[in-house]
Amino acid sequence: MIRSRLWFGPLLVAALTTALVFLTVPVLAIFLETTPAQIVRKLGEEQARDALWLSAQTTGAAMLLIVGLGTPAAYLLATRRFRGRAVVITLIELPLVLPPAVAGIALLAAVGPSGLLGRYVEDAGLQVALTTAGVVVALTFVAAPFYLRQAQAAFAAVDGTQVDAARTLGSSEAAAFARVVVPASLPGLAAGGALALGRALGEFGATLMFAGSLQGVTQTVPLAIYDDFATDFDAALALSAVLVVVSAALLLSVKFVRGADAVR
Amino acid sequence: MLSVEARTEIVDAALEVGAGQTLALAGPSGAGKTTLLRIIAGLTRPADGRVVVGEDVWLDGATGTFVTPEERRCGYVFQEHALFGHLNAWRNVAYPLRSLPRRARRARALALLDRFGLAARADAPVRELSGGERQRVALARALAREPRVLLLDEPLSALDPRTRAVAARELAALLAAVPEVPVVLVTHDIEDAAAMSDRVAVMDGGRVVQVGTAAELAARPATAFVADFTGAVVLAGVARAAGHGLVVVALDGGGEVQAVGDAAPGPVAVSVRPWEITLEPADAATPGSARNRVVGPVASVVDLGGRVRVAIASPQPLVAEVTSAAVAELGLAPGVQVAASWKATATRVTAR
């Protein structure tokens, strides 16, 4: 017993230290290898500004789709029991474990020009592959499961009698959802939203395969970094630093919402 | 006037409550009490049933009539109060007041909270309210819509035993101040039911087994279950007629007791109130006029403050309530042999 105590504590500390160094040093290196001047210069380039603006637009559009459709869908999954529910949940979660390259191929096979539904998409006058709309499709496909899972868990945690109480107080089912269920699950929804947003912002593989990397059309920040990487490593570093700052801000905002919830 | 009939897998019951009357639904958990409340509120829709309030039909299985819960104006105080945690006290009360202009909403919520002595807590978040305060906020919220019916599910269960008796009296006074509205409250405690209601409906296995005042139920229990529920000692036995208006019951496990009445021969339950039982030393030379006598060792002595409950490990266990003085005089302690006796006239016999 005494011997195990002697080595077990230090082992835990050593493991944590290794993990911490391994996970933080590369991120720190980005900032140590670049300078504020380089970042400013990079942000002055049209290619970088295009990429940032395109990332903001496409991620925003994908998030609107994900939250708008995902919220009611997750509520249905959380509150109703129906045949095939487990299968539906598994199918929705499947994109979580798909390699991004496979996701890109899958989207091409489905809605690409010669894909399964490509003809119908074209007949409808739409063009998704190699367009900005295609980027939104790719981001939505890979990021939506993160939000759906969290939202479903958040809704399932809301006490059913809260809805019953709202009903007896004059709210229809839809009004009870809007006035009671959503406010009560807001921290969980925000956490799911931030996860999906982070995933969408960093999306690379599926976008590259499905939409390509055309500056101002489909070249989001991760694709621009990859583009720079071949020719100008310092430029890639500067753009990476910007993406790290945005992602860290996202993570902190989720912690803040969760923290406020813990007090509640 | 509220009248309810419902037949489902869980309940098969019919009830009527007059305007301004309070009916307690009492019974063990799983008896169907809450199900009946949910049917009245419209949260559960039975295929076969009828709910009528005044002139309005809220549910009629025969015609397919079903008024949704939000259109029923049914005040419901849930067991754990179901207050909305993201809103403070007054916003909870104002929740149903959507039709009022913004300013009037707050004024009305504050007036309701003031009525329950909570005006000072109007801006408190739900998590900072005590159990008693939560209950009063829930009640104020349920009354905000001027309900046609008021339903309370175990209103005292979240309170600790010490504050319970006071809370029961307060609640009874508050309910009396809600005129013209039929009130149905659920409890599993007969004393709470007696304190807060005009009549008590005892439910068991989804059925209403007896309706009456708490005193009527205690004095004339219709079934052994009601007798047990109202606090009587219940013994199982087999009855045979003995003439002279007496019934003799051979107790399971040995012994015989007599009761006044004309119960049919066969298996019966004998009930007696604990305070009707007197105790004496087991070797007392001259038994008194009491016809019924059971001997056994004392199992436990519990002081309830003034009265003492003495449990006796006779073949079928008994509980007697006597004074502390009697306990001291008889030297009652676990293991001491005593004789419990009671009059035939204090004994009730019901079929089982």
Side-chain angles (χ1 to χ4, degrees), chain A residues 110-126:
Chain A
V111 290
S114 55
L116 192 63
L117 306 170
R119 192 147 37 91
Y120 306 104
V121 174
E122 238 165 63
D123 287 352
L126 298 172

Side-chain angles (χ1 to χ4, degrees), chain B residues 306-334:
Chain B
R307 55 205 172 95
V308 180
R309 281 177 90 87
V310 180
I312 299 151
S314 39
Q316 291 191 57
L318 274 179
V319 174
E321 258 184 44
V322 296
T323 59
S324 328
V327 172
E329 201 172 299
L330 293 170
L332 294 179

Side-chain angles (χ1 to χ4, degrees), chain A residues 149-176:
Chain A
R149 266 168 62 111
Q150 279 278 334
Q152 188 197 328
F155 288 145
V158 175
D159 182 3
T161 58
Q162 296 261 316
V163 179
D164 288 342
R167 298 294 305 273
T168 66
L169 295 168
S171 288
S172 65
E173 209 187 347

Side-chain angles (χ1 to χ4, degrees), chain A:
Chain A
M1 285 302 285
I2 290 167
R3 277 190 57 186
S4 75
R5 230 182 257 159
L6 276 178
W7 59 262
F8 193 59
L11 177 79
L12 298 182
V13 174
L16 178 62
T17 310
T18 311
L20 194 65
V21 167
F22 182 72
L23 294 176
T24 51
V25 164
V27 179
L28 273 175
I30 290 178
F31 291 94
L32 295 174
E33 289 291 300
T34 191
T35 62
Q38 266 174 330
I39 294 177
V40 171
R41 184 170 59 83
K42 182 65 195 169
L43 288 176
E45 282 176 21
E46 196 184 346
Q47 176 242 25
R49 283 209 308 272
D50 278 354
L52 280 166
W53 177 230
L54 188 75
S55 266
Q57 280 179 306
T58 51
T59 306
M63 285 309 294
L64 278 180
L65 282 173
I66 290 169
V67 173
L69 275 172
T71 307
Y75 188 56
L76 180 86
L77 281 176
T79 55
R80 305 288 201 279
R81 295 289 171 268
F82 52 87
R83 276 167 69 100
R85 178 172 171 274
V87 176
V88 171
I89 290 175
T90 309
L91 288 175
I92 282 175
E93 288 178 350
L94 193 58
L96 282 180
V97 294
L98 280 188
V102 176
I105 292 288
L107 285 172
L108 278 172
V111 290
S114 55
L116 192 63
L117 306 170
R119 192 147 37 91
Y120 306 104
V121 174
E122 238 165 63
D123 287 352
L126 298 172
Q127 165 87 47
V128 285
L130 304 176
T131 64
T132 306
V135 178
V136 176
V137 170
L139 300 191
T140 306
F141 183 76
V142 296
F146 288 87
Y147 179 74
L148 278 164
R149 266 168 62 111
Q150 279 278 334
Q152 188 197 328
F155 288 145
V158 175
D159 182 3
T161 58
Q162 296 261 316
V163 179
D164 288 342
R167 298 294 305 273
T168 66
L169 295 168
S171 288
S172 65
E173 209 187 347
F177 174 68
R179 293 183 64 197
V180 173
V181 177
V182 169
S185 10
L186 213 48
L189 297 182
L195 275 177
L197 188 56
R199 180 70 183 86
L201 211 51
E203 216 305 309
F204 175 74
T207 312
L208 183 62
M209 301 201 66
F210 184 60
S213 180
L214 307 167
Q215 186 187 332
V217 182
T218 67
Q219 194 183 73
T220 57
V221 176
L223 294 173
I225 292 171
Y226 184 68
D227 206 38
D228 283 345
F229 167 63
T231 53
D232 182 357
F233 188 72
D234 286 344
L237 265 178
L239 207 46
S240 297
V242 173
L243 207 51
V244 169
V245 169
V246 173
S247 303
L250 269 178
L251 185 64
L252 286 175
S253 66
V254 173
K255 296 261 175 195
F256 181 74
V257 173
R258 285 244 170 114
D261 182 51
V263 175
R264 181 187 304 179

Side-chain angles (χ1 to χ4, degrees), chain B residues 91-114:
Chain B
R91 284 182 193 278
N92 264 280
V93 178
Y95 184 93
L97 303 174
R98 268 269 147 138
S99 56
L100 296 182
R102 195 168 281 270
R103 189 171 291 186
R105 238 181 273 168
R106 182 172 156 90
R108 172 133 173 76
L110 289 180
L112 275 157
L113 284 172
D114 191 36

Side-chain angles (χ1 to χ4, degrees), chain B residues 65-120:
Chain B
T65 305
F66 179 74
V67 177
T68 59
E70 59 267 30
E71 291 166 334
R72 287 193 185 198
R73 286 217 351 249
C74 194
Y76 198 137
V77 177
F78 290 83
Q79 190 167 354
E80 306 292 341
H81 308 136
L83 293 179
F84 304 131
H86 63 287
L87 302 175
N88 62 20
W90 83 261
R91 284 182 193 278
N92 264 280
V93 178
Y95 184 93
L97 303 174
R98 268 269 147 138
S99 56
L100 296 182
R102 195 168 281 270
R103 189 171 291 186
R105 238 181 273 168
R106 182 172 156 90
R108 172 133 173 76
L110 289 180
L112 275 157
L113 284 172
D114 191 36
R115 190 167 140 195
F116 295 103
L118 281 174

Side-chain angles (χ1 to χ4, degrees), chain B residues 26 156 164-165 168 187-197 200 214 229-231 275 304 307 309 321:
Chain B
L156 304 178
R164 234 178 130 106
T187 174
H188 58 256
D189 187 301
I190 190 73
E191 289 185 27
D192 287 351
M196 294 185 287
S197 64
V200 181
F229 189 69
T230 54
W275 47 91
L304 299 175
R307 55 205 172 95
R309 281 177 90 87
E321 258 184 44

